[in-house]
Each structure stands twice: as C-alpha cells, then as structure tokens.
Amino acid sequence: MHRAVLQWYAVAGRDLPWREPSCSPWGVFVSEVMAQQTPIARILPAWQAWLRRWPTPADLAAAPVGEAIRAWDRLGHPRRAVNLHAAARAMVERHDGHVPSDPEELRALPGVGDYTAAAVSSFAFGNPLVVIDTNVRRVLVRIALGQAQAAPSLTKAERELAATWQPRARSDANAWNVAAMELGALVCTARAPRCSGCPVAALCAWHQAGNPAYDGPARGGQGYEGTDPQLRGRILALLRAADHRLEPALIEALDPDPERVRRLVGALAREGLLEHSRSGYHLPR
C-alpha cells in the first residue's frame, strides 16, 4: 500500500512551491496557515505575494497587523491573518526570528493546533510525525475500514489508525504524509472519487465493498447568503479597500439592520480585526 501510494505521488503530485526542498520553514508555515479550509488554487497566488512582501517572520512582525488583514483579502476567516501576524512576532521574540522545529514549541504559537504543528514539523524539518487532515482521514477510513466518510470530528480511533498506518522509515513517513493528503485531494475526493484512477483501488476496503454510501451522523452545513459571516466579510472588504478611516454611516449602510451591523463590528473589534471610535472605523494599526 505504501509503495503504491508513494510511487503514484512521485508522478502525479502537484508541483507546489512550498513542497520544494528550497522552500524555507517560514514558507511552509505560511502555506499551512493559508490552506486551512481554503483550496490550494486560491492560496497559491496569495502565498507567492505574501512571501515576496514578507519573506521572513521578522518582516511580517514589523508590519502593522492591519496590513496582514488587508493582504489576506478573501482567503477565508481573517482571524487567521491576525494569528499569523502574532505567530511571526512570537517567533521573533522567542525563537530569534525562526520557525521552531519542535512540535510543542510550534503548538505554543498563536493559532497553531495539532495539525499545523505536526505538518510544519514534518514538511519543513523532516520530523516523522503523524499528520492528519480531512483528506488523510477520508483516505484511511475508506482504505482500511471500508467507510465512505470519516466522522464529523477527528476521533481517538482515527488518530490510532493514522499512527498504525505511518511507515516506519523516517523518509517514507514524511513522504506518506503528503502523498496521502494528495491522494485525498486529487483522487479519493469526498463527492466524486476517481476510483478508476486510484493506485490502491484493488486494496481499498470501501471500493471492494462496492463504494457503500455514508450512513453516519448527518454532515449538514449552513448556507452563506444573508448570514453573519457574509456580512462580516462585507464589512472587512470595505475596510480593506479604504485608505483612511470610514464613517460609521458607510458601514451601517451595508445592512438594513444597523443594530446587527454594530453587533458584528463589536465582535470584529474584540477579535482584533478592526478598530473604531465615534469618528469611524479602520483596520488595526
């Protein structure tokens, strides 16, 4: 199984700049933060622009946090931009401006959880940790357990399964981490898996069982139109486009309910995503 997946990845894996041996640990770190719940096609140009502007943690740490929010644009929840900026400052203050290699030190950085700590330690420094994202979870439960989808949240059993499936050799373990992710992203997808092009279809318990439908807990989602997240995004988009402080009336005009706008503005301010006073609103400085 390992051999088939690793051979497939060597041929079919995408040529992404943060996978190049020459990529700095900071480049890997930025890519992992950007890729959280955001498609690779969207983050590639943003990652390139970010690294040109802030090629080291110290460069980003010296910039106002508002500029990080502005550059983040529409890459997903802008709180990640604030955390990335705070992580850069922590690297300068605690690690001489370098990305730490130790997973515990990585996990202590703002906005870094178990996945990001393991991924950066593995991909940037070659530490053979178990790296589990949504794609890896789906690949493993299909191949090993014959299930269509993983549980809505990562379980202890899935962690143990992923650890069991990790190759013993250090180089193979790190290669397996990215290869399993790539298999889930390109072939073993959630809605339309391409089993005919899968290098391990003959070894996959789910495929051999006839691709049975998912019968676990409901995996519903909320629409986006008209929601608070959509309005939050519109508020921040207006602020990013502005070169100066915006009058409250311009922000409140975004929605028929001014109280709703003020409530969301208050939440954004508490999250460090904007600053406001009686005279107007602006990105943090």
Side-chain angles (χ1 to χ4, degrees):
M1 182 72 72
H2 290 149
R3 183 169 59 251
V5 172
L6 293 177
Q7 289 175 347
W8 168 85
Y9 174 73
V11 175
R14 288 169 291 184
D15 184 16
L16 299 173
W18 49 85
R19 292 178 179 169
E20 295 294 329
S22 60
C23 182
S24 68
W26 172 241
V28 174
F29 186 89
V30 172
S31 76
E32 289 298 335
V33 174
M34 286 186 170
Q36 295 168 9
Q37 301 179 339
T38 304
I40 294 297
R42 286 181 57 196
I43 77 167
L44 181 55
W47 181 88
Q48 292 169 327
W50 194 282
L51 267 293
R52 284 195 298 268
R53 184 173 183 182
W54 298 305
T56 70
D59 293 313
L60 178 59
V65 65
E67 287 305 302
I69 297 171
R70 194 187 307 276
W72 195 257
D73 198 15
R74 297 181 180 274
L75 278 180
H77 202 301
R79 181 65 193 174
R80 286 186 283 147
V82 176
N83 286 336
L84 185 52
H85 185 271
R89 287 190 169 176
M91 290 175 196
V92 170
E93 294 168 0
R94 306 175 200 166
H95 305 290
D96 297 323
H98 299 292
V99 178
S101 61
D102 181 80
E104 292 302 322
E105 292 181 340
L106 283 163
R107 198 175 289 110
L109 296 173
V112 174
D114 290 342
Y115 165 77
T116 301
V120 172
S121 191
S122 172
F123 301 148
F125 299 102
N127 295 323
L129 303 176
V130 178
V131 180
I132 313 171
D133 76 343
T134 301
N135 289 317
V136 171
R137 294 176 63 210
R138 185 170 57 254
V139 165
L140 289 181
V141 299
R142 284 178 177 173
I143 290 176
L145 305 180
Q147 299 172 0
Q149 300 288 351
S153 300
L154 181 63
T155 65
K156 179 181 178 181
E158 286 180 336
R159 292 183 187 275
E160 293 172 350
L161 177 66
T164 299
W165 276 67
Q166 187 89 326
R168 294 183 181 276
R170 182 186 182 98
S171 60
D172 285 351
N174 286 299
W176 169 259
N177 283 334
V178 67
M181 285 184 191
E182 196 77 335
L183 186 66
L186 301 182
V187 176
C188 194
T189 57
R191 291 185 175 85
R194 298 190 300 106
C195 296
S196 61
C198 179
V200 291
L203 302 174
C204 175
W206 182 63
H207 183 61
Q208 293 305 307
N211 295 19
Y214 176 72
D215 62 356
R219 305 170 67 89
Q222 172 183 333
Y224 185 66
E225 189 66 30
T227 62
D228 283 359
Q230 183 190 43
L231 183 53
R232 283 167 55 103
R234 293 176 64 196
I235 293 170
L236 287 174
L238 196 60
L239 289 170
R240 282 195 300 266
D243 294 328
H244 51 80
R245 187 186 301 268
L246 293 179
E247 295 182 3
L250 293 175
I251 299 291
E252 292 171 2
L254 290 173
D255 190 81
D257 183 356
E259 285 301 321
R260 181 188 182 205
V261 175
R262 284 192 283 271
R263 172 173 59 82
L264 295 180
V265 163
L268 290 168
R270 288 190 294 275
E271 294 171 30
L273 293 168
L274 64 77
E275 294 176 354
H276 67 103
S277 63
R278 290 184 178 181
S279 60
Y281 303 92
H282 58 82
L283 292 176
R285 293 170 179 165

